[in-house]
Amino acid sequence: MKKIKVYDLPTRLFHWLFVLLFLSSFFIAKYIDDDSWIYAYHMLSGLLMAFLIILRVVWGLVGSKYARFSSFRLAPRELVDYLSSIVNSKTRRYVGHNPASSYAAIAMFLLTIGLVITGLLMSFGIFEDFFEEIHELLSNSFVIIAILHVAGLVFHEIKHKDGLVFSIVTGKKDLVGQKEGIGNNHLFAGIIFVGLVLSFIFYLASNYKSSTQKLNLFGTQVRLGETEHGEHNKHGKRGGDHDDHDDDYDDDDDDDDDD
């Protein structure tokens, strides 16, 4: 069957960088102790994900036809019809994003923003226990949506055998009806995209001090690692050294008893 170009280079670069960064952040958070020097990269990759979202929003406004948000199928009725068609084994094929993937993409964008905001609030020690719970909830929601998204792709491939799972790699899909593909792969925009991402990585690397595990983010000090000894915040930070103060008082009491 005839193939047409659907996903341009910037869109595909964003997709795979976004996937890799989330997997990195997720596995570091799950399997690395928060007092390890590696743990800081959980937040660094999260900040890079937020930067990718900014670039994707811009490209979603000015990019090629199927990269634009205007091509997303976000009508609730269309989503219901699409999900119903899966049950009825009459799944409709789309050239660009189908309703399910459109909603999944928007949901993952919003969840990423929420993850970055709650992560920053935790690093500032603002109601840390509360925002840690919200952060974990958002993370788990992201994982569930990602799993459903992948399952939907696999189901579609088993049913239609049209190579959809490879479209985000090659940028090409099978022709659907008389729909036209895109004529420009936007190589120059892809190069600019990579350049901006590398520039932001360099900015993060230049402003992060591994010795203190703190990042100077646009003039604001952000703690990326475990709380330093002696720090305590009245807004709800994990107060390990609050117990230290109690121990000091206990020691004083013991001294008085000895006297």
Side-chain angles (χ1 to χ4, degrees):
M1 183 175 288
K2 181 181 178 181
K3 297 280 188 180
I4 57 174
K5 179 72 72 173
V6 175
Y7 298 126
D8 55 44
L9 183 59
T11 301
R12 286 177 281 147
L13 288 172
F14 164 82
H15 180 275
W16 290 113
L17 282 174
F18 193 70
V19 169
L20 290 174
L21 287 170
F22 176 77
L23 290 176
S24 298
S25 292
F26 182 79
F27 281 105
I28 290 174
K30 288 294 183 182
Y31 301 110
I32 301 296
D33 291 334
D34 56 8
D35 58 351
S36 169
W37 65 270
I38 300 176
Y39 194 82
Y41 290 91
H42 164 73
M43 289 193 65
L44 289 171
S45 60
L47 291 170
L48 189 52
M49 285 179 69
F51 183 71
L52 288 179
I53 292 291
I54 295 174
L55 296 181
R56 182 62 181 91
V57 168
V58 173
W59 194 243
L61 298 174
V62 302
S64 59
K65 180 178 180 180
Y66 298 109
R68 294 181 183 179
F69 297 129
S70 58
S71 71
F72 282 23
R73 304 284 183 165
L74 296 175
R77 181 61 187 175
E78 194 166 5
L79 175 64
V80 172
D81 290 342
Y82 180 79
L83 296 177
S84 299
S85 70
I86 294 177
V87 177
N88 298 328
S89 299
K90 298 178 181 178
T91 311
R92 179 180 174 184
R93 294 170 57 227
Y94 291 81
V95 177
H97 290 80
N98 61 51
S101 63
S102 296
Y103 273 95
I106 296 299
M108 286 188 279
F109 294 170
L110 294 176
L111 286 171
T112 299
I113 294 172
L115 285 167
V116 173
I117 291 175
T118 53
L120 288 173
L121 291 172
M122 288 163 58
S123 73
F124 295 143
I126 301 174
F127 299 110
E128 188 170 352
D129 290 335
F130 171 75
F131 284 114
E132 183 177 7
E133 293 294 329
I134 300 299
H135 191 82
E136 186 171 354
L137 176 62
L138 295 175
S139 177
N140 291 334
S141 299
F142 193 112
V143 171
I144 292 172
I145 292 175
I147 291 174
L148 291 175
H149 178 57
V150 172
L153 290 174
V154 173
F155 177 83
H156 179 99
E157 182 62 28
I158 292 174
K159 183 174 182 180
H160 295 288
K161 297 180 175 62
D162 57 0
L164 176 65
V165 293
F166 301 108
S167 63
I168 200 63
V169 177
T170 65
K172 295 180 179 181
K173 281 186 175 183
D174 286 349
L175 179 65
V176 178
Q178 300 300 317
K179 298 290 185 178
E180 295 182 355
I182 60 175
N184 191 337
N185 196 37
H186 292 283
L187 175 61
F188 184 66
I191 294 173
I192 293 177
F193 176 86
V194 172
L196 290 172
V197 171
L198 291 176
S199 297
F200 191 66
I201 292 175
F202 178 77
Y203 173 83
L204 293 176
S206 300
N207 288 276
Y208 172 63
K209 292 184 178 180
S210 58
S211 59
T212 60
Q213 290 190 309
K214 288 187 177 181
L215 171 71
N216 182 1
L217 185 65
F218 306 118
T220 301
Q221 292 294 319
V222 180
R223 173 174 56 84
L224 303 186
E226 179 68 358
T227 306
E228 294 182 358
H229 294 297
E231 288 185 2
H232 180 64
N233 190 295
K234 65 182 178 180
H235 294 293
K237 180 187 290 186
R238 281 178 233 160
D241 44 355
H242 186 70
D243 294 335
D244 294 339
H245 291 306
D246 291 341
D247 291 341
D248 291 340
Y249 292 133
D250 291 340
D251 291 340
D252 293 339
D253 292 339
D254 291 340
D255 292 338
D256 292 339
D257 292 338
D258 291 339
D259 290 338

